[in-house]
Amino acid sequence: CSHFSVFEPFFENNTMKFPKIFSRKQEKAASNTAGVSSGFGSSALESTKEAVAEAVKAATSSVPNPSIAFISCTVSRDVDEVQKEFVSALPKDVPIHGITSSGSLLTSKGASAGAVGCLLLKSEEEGAFATAYDSEKGETAVLGLKEKMASPQVIFMGATPGAEEGVIASINEHFPGVPVYGGTAADDALAGEWKVMSADAVSSTGVSLVGVGSSVKFGASMLGPYTETEKKVIATKTEGRRVFEIDGKPATDFVLEWLGDDVKEAYDNGGLILPQTAQKPVGIKKPSGEYVTNHLAALGGDEKFVDFFAPIPEGAELIIMDSGDGPSTGYASALASAYDTAKSQGSLAGGSPAAGILVFCGGMAIAVGDNLDAGLTSDSFASKVGDLPVLGMTCFGEQAFLEGQKENVQRNLSVGMILLG
C-alpha cells in the first residue's frame, strides 16, 4: 500500500473535522542537562511570519545554536510558508524534522489550535543527530541516513498515511535491530492535506528520518491504554491494510453486527467510520503478550471490505478492546504512564530528560473531543512534565518498537513520549 491510496475513494465526500482547542499566544520552555540542552517555543499569532519568529525567539533564547530543530504546525496555515519562515528564522544550516499536526499542537500546558512550534536540541558531541529526507521514497531517505550515521541507537521517523510500513521495512533491512519511533503527518479533516517538512522541502508524500547517536540519552514509549473484551474474531482474508473476510464472512457484515445503526450508512454506501470506532480499538496480541492497536477506518460498501490505518496479517486474531474512562478523562493516566515508561527505558533509564516529543493519535483526539485539554493539563501528567520543553503532535499513525517482541510496528490509537537527555 503506498501513501493513502487505500482511502482515496472516501476522501472526497467524507472529510472529517478533528478537535481544535483554544488558542494560546506563545509558550517558552528550556532545559539543560550534561548531554543535550533544549529550548521550545510556540505561537498562535495570526501572521505565520510573526508566529514563527515568536516561536524561534523563545526557543533560541535557550539554545542559540541548535544541532537540530523539530517543528510542527497545523494545515490551517500555508505549510510551505511555515517551513520557509522556520528556515529563515533559525540559524543557517540547522537540520529540520517536521510534520503537520491535526488541529492543535500539544504541551503540558494544554492544546493550542492552529499554532506553530519548534523544539531545538543542542549537543556538544559531534554526530549526535543525523537527518535524511526524501519527498517520496522511503528507501532513499533510509539510504541517505545510512551514509550519515551507520549505527544509530534509535531512529525517529515522520511519514504520511499509508507509507509507514514500507519505511519501517526499509529501516529494518538497512538498520537491522535498530528501534524505530515516530508519528505520521496529519491534517484537520482527513483530506490528504498533511505534509512532511525538512530544511530543504515540503511534501505531502515526504519521509523524514532522524538518527540519534549514542551520546544522547534516549527513552521512549508507545501505549495503547486499553483492555481486552471477550469479542474476538479472525481476519481470514486480508491484503495489507484491507480486510475482505472476517471469520470467513464478508468483513463489513461483522462490523454492522458489531456496531449496528451507527455504521449503517457506511455499510450501505461505503465511507469513513473513524468517529464510530475511535473508542473501540482492534487489538492484535503478539506472542510476547504485547498488543498492537489498530483503528478501523472505512467500509467498502458493496465490495464488503474494511480498511484499517495499519496492516492486518491474514489469520490474525482481532480482539475488540475497551477504552474505559480514557476518553472522558482526556487519557490523563495514559499520558502519565507514557512519560513514566519512556523515562525508565533505553539509554535514559531513570535519568533526567532535557526535552520531550509527545505523539498523540488523531483517533484518540476524536475519542476525547473537548476533554483533550483536561488530559494534557491533568495533575497526573503536568506534574511529571513540569517545565520540560515538549513538542506534542496529533498524528494519523504511530510507529514504535515492541521491547518484548523486538519488532518495529505501525500502530494506531496510541500515545507515546520520546524523551531525550
Side-chain angles (χ1 to χ4, degrees), residues 208-225:
S208 179
L209 304 175
V210 178
V212 180
S214 59
S215 66
V216 179
K217 302 299 183 186
F218 185 96
S221 65
M222 197 65 71
L223 309 180

Side-chain angles (χ1 to χ4, degrees), residues 23-291:
S23 296
R24 284 187 175 78
K25 283 290 184 184
Q26 182 264 346
E27 285 185 15
K28 170 185 174 180
S31 181
N32 195 336
T33 69
V36 169
S37 55
S38 65
F40 172 76
S42 69
S43 175
L45 290 174
E46 185 175 351
S47 161
T48 291
K49 184 179 183 68
E50 293 175 5
V52 170
E54 185 172 63
V56 170
K57 182 179 179 181
T60 54
S61 67
S62 306
V63 182
N65 294 296
S67 304
I68 189 170
F70 292 86
I71 68 172
S72 188
C73 67
T74 69
V75 299
S76 61
R77 296 181 184 268
D78 180 332
V79 182
D80 290 88
E81 182 186 5
V82 171
Q83 183 264 0
K84 177 185 173 185
E85 292 298 336
F86 269 117
V87 171
S88 176
L90 287 165
K92 189 179 180 185
D93 297 329
V94 174
I96 290 175
H97 170 95
I99 64 168
T100 50
S101 176
S102 179
S104 302
L105 297 192
L106 313 178
T107 75
S108 61
K109 307 296 188 294
S112 185
V116 302
C118 62
L119 176 68
L120 307 183
L121 303 179
K122 173 66 176 178
S123 173
E124 299 301 332
E125 297 288 335
E126 187 85 19
F129 301 99
T131 61
Y133 176 90
D134 192 80
S135 62
E136 188 173 5
K137 296 179 180 178
E139 186 168 30
T140 303
V142 172
L143 292 173
L145 183 63
K146 187 78 172 179
E147 289 182 5
K148 297 179 181 179
M149 183 179 283
S151 301
Q153 65 165 312
V154 68
I155 294 172
F156 189 76
M157 66 173 276
T160 54
E164 303 98 314
E165 48 263 47
V167 177
I168 291 172
S170 185
I171 292 173
N172 289 341
E173 178 185 350
H174 297 287
F175 294 95
V178 175
V180 175
Y181 288 90
T184 302
D187 62 12
D188 292 353
L190 204 68
E193 296 174 337
W194 42 68
K195 299 284 177 68
V196 178
M197 297 170 277
S198 74
D200 302 310
V202 178
S203 174
S204 61
T205 55
V207 177
S208 179
L209 304 175
V210 178
V212 180
S214 59
S215 66
V216 179
K217 302 299 183 186
F218 185 96
S221 65
M222 197 65 71
L223 309 180
Y226 313 104
T227 55
E228 271 193 32
T229 70
E230 294 182 357
K231 198 169 192 67
K232 302 175 183 179
V233 293
I234 303 296
T236 45
K237 184 180 179 182
T238 74
E239 183 180 341
R241 299 182 172 198
R242 182 160 289 177
V243 178
F244 297 95
E245 293 181 4
I246 293 174
D247 283 346
K249 301 173 183 176
T252 54
D253 289 355
F254 161 74
V255 178
L256 180 65
E257 177 192 338
W258 170 32
L259 298 175
D261 289 343
D262 285 348
V263 298
K264 186 66 166 66
E265 183 178 351
Y267 175 83
D268 290 337
N269 303 310
L272 296 167
I273 59 167
L274 289 163
Q276 297 93 317
T277 53
Q279 296 188 28
K280 299 176 174 66
V282 177
I284 296 176
K285 193 173 185 178
K286 294 288 185 174
S288 61
E290 296 162 299
Y291 289 93

Side-chain angles (χ1 to χ4, degrees), residues 18 66 133 183 285 300 316 341 350 376 382:
F18 287 75
Y133 176 90
K285 193 173 185 178
T341 301
L376 292 166

Side-chain angles (χ1 to χ4, degrees), residues 357-420:
I357 298 170
L358 171 62
V359 177
F360 194 92
C361 178
M364 292 174 72
I366 295 175
V368 303
D370 293 339
N371 295 318
L372 177 57
D373 226 47
L376 292 166
T377 61
S378 64
D379 184 63
S380 60
F381 180 60
S383 64
K384 295 177 186 295
V385 176
D387 292 326
L388 183 74
V390 173
L391 173 63
M393 297 160 289
T394 307
C395 300
F396 281 177
E398 303 81 55
Q399 299 81 49
F401 179 68
L402 301 179
E403 290 283 345
Q405 192 67 20
K406 305 300 180 190
E407 180 184 358
N408 292 314
V409 298
Q410 161 72 2
R411 57 187 296 161
N412 315 134
L413 296 171
S414 307
V415 57
M417 283 290 299
I418 314 300
L419 297 176
L420 303 106

